[in-house]
Amino acid sequence: MDDIEDMIGEEELDRAAMSSVRAPMVAPKPRFQDVKTSAATNSTASSSTSGDLDAKEPSVPGTQLIWMKTYGCSHNVSDSEYMQGVLASYGYRFTQEPDAAQLWLLNSCTVKDPSQAAFMHLAVKGRKQNKAVVVAGCVPQADRHLKGLEDVSIVGIQQVDRVVEVVEETLKGHTAVVQEPTARMDLPKIRKNPMVEIIPLSTGCLGACTYCKTRHARGKLGSYTPEAIVSRAQTVINEGVTEIWLSSEDTGAYGIDIGTDLPTLLCKLLEVVPEGVMLRVGMTNPPYILDHLDAIAEVLNHDRVYSFLQGRG
């Protein structure tokens, strides 16, 4: 199964992102007191704009242009959509032109070597061009001391709600790192595909695969409650989405840590998913989904669920 960025053209995704700003459900309050910062040696590049984006004074918070690049799975895409939504709610604007941006926001993937190499190349390139650079995703989460990431800011994979803090500190010339464990689903969001909502069921996994750094990057399994997921689904259905993608590092392991399971969650979701809206179940590893094969097969035969299950491992 291709990554979402391989299935839909990047320019099309960027246009959809810039045209589908949702009204924020929660306006997160900036918190600066516990952001780890250090002085940066390079200053932020001066502002330049193109197209119909009006130039504004780059020193005014919330007016700078941001260029964003996302690598990896649908979970990563969802994280990027949340970060774009939060930043847009604070006034930040996005551009498809890297050279026009004052700040580059790069969301990384560590599963595939080519993706990690491309991400690292961009991080280094951005600093060489005197751009403010903020990185997110699994690569810096797994090893924040990688060569090439020494003087860039980092947003942890469970701190997407704090991206505004990191961006603002970075634009001041600081290097900010926020990687403490928090998780929220009630954030504003800019969907790359306005008709598709990607809902993460959990973060992390229960595996210990020697060839994969996902466990090291995202940690042990941490499932969202069924109530939080159903509530999110109801919200986005009211916003007009026609597909809901359920994403996770291992959907089959969902709920083991909180006393529930994937079939139970899917049945609760189907109680609120109306006709015309489809559910899609994302990646799973064999060990845990095998415990629920009969129940999963029954759900996949439902007329509002795609008969699709993506394996990995």
Side-chain angles (χ1 to χ4, degrees):
M1 179 66 187
D2 293 333
D3 293 337
I4 188 172
E5 61 192 34
D6 298 324
M7 294 188 291
I8 305 173
E10 185 173 312
E11 291 185 3
E12 178 183 346
L13 291 175
D14 288 339
R15 285 195 297 271
M18 295 178 70
S19 64
S20 61
V21 179
R22 303 288 178 179
M25 294 175 290
V26 173
K29 296 180 180 179
R31 295 171 291 173
F32 296 101
Q33 65 274 15
D34 57 347
V35 178
K36 299 175 183 177
T37 63
S38 60
T41 56
N42 295 321
S43 61
T44 304
S46 59
S47 173
S48 63
T49 59
S50 62
D52 58 357
L53 295 169
D54 297 327
K56 294 186 179 181
E57 178 59 40
S59 62
V60 179
T63 62
Q64 293 85 353
L65 281 174
I66 296 174
W67 177 67
M68 189 169 193
K69 175 67 177 176
T70 302
Y71 297 93
C73 66
S74 58
H75 195 161
N76 248 26
V77 173
S78 179
D79 287 348
S80 290
E81 292 173 345
Y82 277 125
M83 287 190 284
Q84 282 189 294
V86 173
L87 287 163
S89 73
Y90 274 79
Y92 288 98
R93 299 162 299 143
F94 293 87
T95 177
Q96 299 177 42
E97 301 297 331
D99 292 340
Q102 287 83 54
L103 182 138
W104 289 7
L105 177 53
L106 311 175
N107 194 2
S108 63
C109 173
T110 190
V111 174
K112 300 178 182 179
D113 286 341
S115 295
Q116 179 166 336
F119 158 76
M120 294 297 297
H121 172 74
L122 275 181
V124 173
K125 180 180 178 180
R127 296 308 296 140
K128 286 182 177 179
Q129 293 186 8
N130 209 28
K131 301 291 186 182
V133 177
V134 175
V135 299
C138 291
V139 173
Q141 189 75 27
D143 187 358
R144 57 176 285 194
H145 301 294
L146 279 175
K147 184 179 180 181
L149 300 183
E150 300 91 344
D151 58 349
V152 300
S153 295
I154 297 174
V155 179
I157 58 172
Q158 296 186 44
Q159 288 77 46
V160 295
D161 59 329
R162 300 183 64 184
V163 65
V164 172
E165 301 171 55
V166 177
V167 165
E168 291 186 352
E169 289 298 313
T170 305
L171 288 167
K172 293 176 184 177
H174 301 151
T175 299
V177 177
V178 178
Q179 290 183 302
E180 298 84 0
T182 60
R184 294 175 57 186
M185 297 188 74
D186 58 346
L187 299 172
K189 196 174 192 182
I190 296 178
R191 299 185 187 92
K192 288 196 170 183
N193 184 333
M195 307 308 295
V196 175
E197 168 71 9
I198 303 170
I199 299 181
L201 303 186
S202 61
T203 186
C205 70
L206 295 174
C209 303
T210 57
Y211 58 84
C212 180
K213 289 196 290 186
T214 299
R215 168 67 180 272
H216 183 56
R218 290 195 176 265
K220 294 181 180 179
L221 178 69
S223 301
Y224 290 98
T225 65
E227 293 76 18
I229 295 169
V230 170
S231 176
R232 179 68 186 177
Q234 290 175 310
T235 297
V236 301
I237 288 168
N238 290 335
E239 292 175 355
V241 303
T242 58
E243 292 188 15
I244 296 175
W245 294 10
L246 305 177
S247 180
S248 174
E249 282 67 55
D250 184 1
T251 56
Y254 169 77
I256 291 176
D257 56 323
I258 58 173
T260 187
D261 54 48
L262 182 61
T264 300
L265 172 67
L266 293 173
C267 289
K268 290 183 177 181
L269 283 169
L270 287 171
E271 293 176 2
V272 302
V273 172
E275 186 175 351
V277 177
M278 296 293 293
L279 288 179
R280 176 183 181 272
V281 182
M283 294 183 294
T284 182
N285 290 317
Y288 302 106
I289 198 68
L290 290 175
D291 294 335
H292 310 294
L293 281 184
D294 291 340
I296 288 294
E298 183 177 350
V299 171
L300 292 180
N301 280 320
H302 195 283
D303 59 4
R304 292 195 292 277
V305 181
Y306 285 119
S307 298
F308 167 87
L309 194 63
Q310 181 180 356
R312 67 179 297 179

